[in-house]
């Protein structure tokens, strides 16, 4: 779902190279880019209190979808009556224009009903710090995408806070701040032919995650979610 309500961007790294992927919003060139380990940067605290709690709820919500996909399909079925052609109309919210209309929702429901459960995601503080770096950056700049204003990639931001194992990925949601809505947006993945956001969420090789929610000057909110197969937190003094 997107338009007035949602825009999502995704990235996936398979060790040790970065693979660029395309979405209707972010067009990246095909190919591979070597991942260079960056100079360490000072740690910045996550937004205190409610914002961190909401970020943890996002990871918990993804775990619920991963471990109980058939039950989670019920949340999506409740949205059917909200569709009016390619618009989603909900009380108290501006209509959201979608690319695919009800078809994307129905396809997501069918996926969940057929999906085998995947293990839960464990919250990882190092990944949350990396997500927080990018969320704060885009909250300040109003930019979108996976590239930081300092030129950093997803992998470089994660490597500032620890050593990742296996593979890493990043989903970004623009427009919502409520955990279930964010996760449903990413599972439906309206307008993204690869359903890459959904694939990241249900990738059994991604076992830990951290997230950060911030305000966005254009889309009101953004949520950055970083995933890894495993993570060794950085214990070196900065």
């Amino acid at each position: 779902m997107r338009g007035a309500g949602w825009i999502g961007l995704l990235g996936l790294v398979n060790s040790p190279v970065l693979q660029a992927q395309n979405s209707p919003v972010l067009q990246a060139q095909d190919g591979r880019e070597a991942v260079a380990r960056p100079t360490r940067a000072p740690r910045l605290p996550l937004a205190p209190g409610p914002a961190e709690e909401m970020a943890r709820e996002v990871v918990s919500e993804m775990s619920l979808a991963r471990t109980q996909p058939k039950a989670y399909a019920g949340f999506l079925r409740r949205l059917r009556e909200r569709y009016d052609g390619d618009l989603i109309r909900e009380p108290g919210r501006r209509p959201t224009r979608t690319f695919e209309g009800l078809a994307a929702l129905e396809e997501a429901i069918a996926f969940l009903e057929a999906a085998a459960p995947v293990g839960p995601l464990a919250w990882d503080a190092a990944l949350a710090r990396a997500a927080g770096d990018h969320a704060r950056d885009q909250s300040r700049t109003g930019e979108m995408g996976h590239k930081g204003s300092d030129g950093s990639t997803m992998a470089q931001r994660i490597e500032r806070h620890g050593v990742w194992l296996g593979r890493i990925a990043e989903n970004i949601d623009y427009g919502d701040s409520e955990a279930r809505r964010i996760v449903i947006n990413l599972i439906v993945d309206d307008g993204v032919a690869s359903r890459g956001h959904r694939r990241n969420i249900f990738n059994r090789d991604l076992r830990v995650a951290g997230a950060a929610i911030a305000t966005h000057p254009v889309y009101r909110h953004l949520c950055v979610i970083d995933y890894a197969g495993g993570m060794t937190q950085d214990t070196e003094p900065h």
Side-chain angles (χ1 to χ4, degrees):
M1 292 178 284
R2 65 177 68 209
W6 177 74
I7 295 175
L9 299 170
L10 66 141
L12 175 66
V13 171
N14 296 296
S15 178
V17 295
L18 175 64
Q19 293 187 304
Q21 298 189 48
N22 294 329
S23 80
V25 179
L26 178 65
Q27 297 296 325
Q29 293 183 346
D30 292 334
R32 299 191 174 201
E33 174 186 346
V35 175
R37 194 166 297 276
T39 303
R40 296 193 181 275
R43 286 180 179 166
L44 298 175
L46 287 173
E52 184 177 348
E53 291 178 9
M54 287 190 292
R56 286 180 175 270
E57 288 177 11
V58 171
V59 174
S60 295
E61 191 73 16
M62 288 187 295
S63 291
L64 178 61
R66 283 166 62 106
T67 58
Q68 301 182 53
K70 291 180 177 61
Y72 206 86
F75 300 135
L76 277 66
R77 284 194 290 270
R78 296 173 192 171
L79 295 176
R80 283 170 169 158
E81 63 185 28
R82 303 297 186 187
Y83 278 74
D84 178 11
D86 64 352
L87 294 178
I88 301 173
R89 301 184 186 275
E90 298 181 83
R93 294 173 63 93
R94 291 181 299 171
T96 300
R97 187 172 300 280
T98 68
F99 285 108
E100 302 174 61
L102 188 60
L105 180 73
E106 295 291 2
E107 191 268 340
I109 292 170
F111 168 85
L112 291 171
E113 290 177 338
V118 181
L121 291 165
W123 174 266
D124 186 88
L127 290 174
R129 287 193 292 271
D133 288 347
H134 197 47
R136 281 187 296 272
D137 183 30
Q138 294 197 337
S139 179
R140 176 180 59 82
T141 65
E143 295 296 324
M144 298 173 62
H146 298 286
K147 188 173 184 179
S149 63
D150 60 354
S152 63
T153 65
M154 162 185 61
Q156 289 169 332
R157 289 188 296 273
I158 291 173
E159 288 169 353
R160 290 170 180 168
H161 299 285
V163 177
W164 52 274
L165 308 173
R167 61 174 58 187
I168 53 176
E170 182 171 81
N171 282 349
I172 307 177
D173 177 272
Y174 296 88
D176 280 301
S177 61
E178 191 270 323
R180 180 154 296 166
R181 186 179 294 274
I182 289 168
V183 174
I184 288 176
N185 288 341
L186 295 170
I187 290 174
V188 173
D189 224 359
D190 173 65
V192 181
S194 69
R195 305 299 192 220
H197 303 94
R198 181 197 302 167
R199 284 168 33 210
N200 283 346
I201 291 175
F202 288 92
N203 189 329
R204 65 179 62 252
D205 294 328
L206 300 173
R207 300 181 180 88
V208 297
I213 294 176
T215 58
H216 192 276
V218 179
Y219 295 103
R220 298 181 60 192
H221 305 284
L222 77 153
C223 177
V224 180
I225 309 164
D226 285 336
Y227 311 79
M231 195 74 187
T232 301
Q233 294 188 26
D234 180 10
T235 58
E236 297 179 18
H238 285 220

